[in-house]
Amino acid sequence: MPKLPEILEVRQLSSRGMFRFEEFDLRFSNGVERTYQRIAPGARKAVMAVPVNERDEVLLIREYCGGVHEYLLTLPKGAVEPGEDPRDGMNRELKEEIGFGARHIEPLRDFTLAPGHMGFEITAMLATDLYPEALEGDEPEPLEVVRWPLAKLPELFELPDLSEARVIAALVLARQVLNNRTSG
Amino acid sequence: MPKLPEILEVRQLSSRGMFRFEEFDLRFSNGVERTYQRIAPGARKAVMAVPVNERDEVLLIREYCGGVHEYLLTLPKGAVEPGEDPRDGMNRELKEEIGFGARHIEPLRDFTLAPGHMGFEITAMLATDLYPEALEGDEPEPLEVVRWPLAKLPELFELPDLSEARVIAALVLARQVLNNRTSG
């Protein structure tokens, strides 16, 4: 693995709501110096779940996404509260967004999104052994829940409103884990 | 598909380098009003390629990612210049980052990254029929090129430095297209 560049100086630029900007000067191991900008990671840990029911269907949600001003098919996600266990936070979000809790929640992977310019990461989890339990969330409107067979992911990936790369990646890793379990 | 919320007002908050912030007031179809913030899309189209050689290996790069201050395994990507055809821009980036051009480049999918809060999208493309040709890029140091068999994606996805969700998603869609071609 290459030697990380040396951070010569970090300047906090500004903060806007959940977004915090930094500029930093780097010296690469070959001596080249560069100035980078980034959006620093958020203060709260982000989590996202692939909830799978006993019929091997994934429970997706259709949600308004303000960044692109569209309704997209996505997965339940949210931010862990200070002091909250990430799996408990994930289970809370599941109850708020799809009306189910999960008796079994296991981390799949920490994803980066646009790591060249943003520090954001999100932990993808697999949620199984679901049970009905709804909690009131802070959503502006009820979310539509869409069930889709895990065996038909290629067809799902062709839907125009399934555009979120981290959703595709999480579904693929969840299927990989579940297939290994079945065959192992 | 639900009716999109009505945008009541948009306020430009600030710009920092490539980042432009907006705040906007929405009225959902059920009458609920909310204020959202987002990072608006960049001015230039972003592109990313899955370059596959004649041995069915994908050519990855190991690159310093300032957002997370780590070296990650990723795919060649960049921004299309004003007036440039996206495929030509992609081919230029391939020559700069891996030292190969591609005679065949086809779009796979437009990905969103964190569509709840960010307008960024990136077009993933499949690049095949490669030929050696290097262009000088603006990278601060030469990029290491890592070849990996497309048949072994599950093992690749277990590497800790292959954390970028859009890279995993693009690789899966590229394999899907190539498999359909072989079997079709």
Side-chain angles (χ1 to χ4, degrees), chain A residues 5 21 26 30 34 38-39 64-65 67 69 109 111-112 115-116 118-120 138 140 154 157 159 162-165, chain B residues 5 21 26 30 34 38-39 64-65 67 69 109 111-112 115-116 118-120 138 140 154 157 159 162-165 176:
Chain A
F21 303 86
L26 293 175
N30 61 1
R34 287 284 173 93
R38 73 161 186 168
I39 305 178
Y64 172 72
C65 295
H69 190 55
R109 188 63 192 267
F111 288 133
T112 56
M118 298 179 194
F120 294 133
D138 59 353
F157 296 161
L159 299 186
L162 199 287
S163 67
E164 208 174 326
Chain B
F21 303 88
L26 292 175
N30 60 1
R34 286 285 172 91
R38 73 162 187 167
I39 306 178
Y64 172 73
C65 295
H69 190 55
R109 187 63 192 265
F111 288 134
T112 56
M118 297 179 196
F120 294 133
D138 60 352
F157 296 161
L159 299 186
L162 199 285
S163 66
E164 208 172 327
Q176 192 167 311

Side-chain angles (χ1 to χ4, degrees), chain A residues 22 27 44 88 134 137 160 165:
Chain A
E22 290 178 350
R27 183 185 298 130
R44 296 200 297 165
D88 293 341

Side-chain angles (χ1 to χ4, degrees), chain A residues 39-184:
Chain A
I39 305 178
R44 296 200 297 165
K45 188 177 176 62
V47 289
M48 170 173 69
V50 181
V52 176
N53 68 14
E54 75 290 351
R55 299 173 59 186
D56 280 332
E57 293 167 331
V58 57
L59 277 64
L60 299 151
I61 52 175
R62 195 183 307 279
E63 186 176 34
Y64 172 72
C65 295
V68 293
H69 190 55
E70 281 180 64
Y71 279 91
L72 294 180
L73 265 184
T74 182
L75 289 167
K77 61 180 104 63
V80 177
E81 304 286 351
E84 190 181 37
D85 179 274
R87 277 183 269 212
D88 293 341
M90 189 72 258
N91 209 23
R92 178 179 46 71
E93 294 286 346
L94 286 171
K95 292 172 186 172
E96 292 174 4
E97 299 194 349
I98 61 169
F100 284 92
R103 289 192 189 85
H104 188 79
I105 297 183
E106 63 183 289
L108 289 168
R109 188 63 192 267
D110 287 354
F111 288 133
T112 56
L113 304 180
H117 306 290
M118 298 179 194
F120 294 133
E121 300 193 29
I122 189 165
T123 302
M125 300 182 179
L126 175 61
T128 52
D129 206 349
L130 307 182
Y131 56 92
E133 183 175 328
L135 277 179
E136 185 77 25
D138 59 353
E139 279 69 31
E141 59 185 358
L143 300 174
E144 183 194 350
V145 176
V146 177
R147 288 167 172 72
W148 195 278
L150 257 187
K152 295 196 172 173
L153 289 189
E155 293 87 340
L156 180 64
F157 296 161
E158 287 175 6
L159 299 186
D161 53 344
L162 199 287
S163 67
E164 208 174 326
R166 60 187 174 182
V167 169
I168 296 173
L171 289 168
V172 166
L173 296 191
R175 181 182 56 185
Q176 192 166 311
V177 165
L178 289 170
N179 284 352
N180 285 346
R181 193 169 296 167
T182 310
S183 64

Side-chain angles (χ1 to χ4, degrees), chain B residues 15 32 37 62 76-77 80 89 136 149 162 179-180:
Chain B
S15 289
V32 171
Q37 292 189 337
R62 196 184 306 280
K77 60 180 104 63
V80 177
E136 184 77 23
L162 199 285
N179 283 352
N180 285 347

Side-chain angles (χ1 to χ4, degrees), chain B residues 86-117:
Chain B
R87 277 183 269 211
D88 293 340
M90 189 71 259
N91 209 24
R92 179 179 45 72
E93 293 287 346
L94 286 171
K95 293 172 186 173
E96 291 175 3
E97 299 194 350
I98 61 169
F100 284 91
R103 288 193 190 84
H104 187 79
I105 297 182
E106 63 183 287
L108 288 169
R109 187 63 192 265
D110 287 355
F111 288 134
T112 56
L113 304 180
H117 306 291

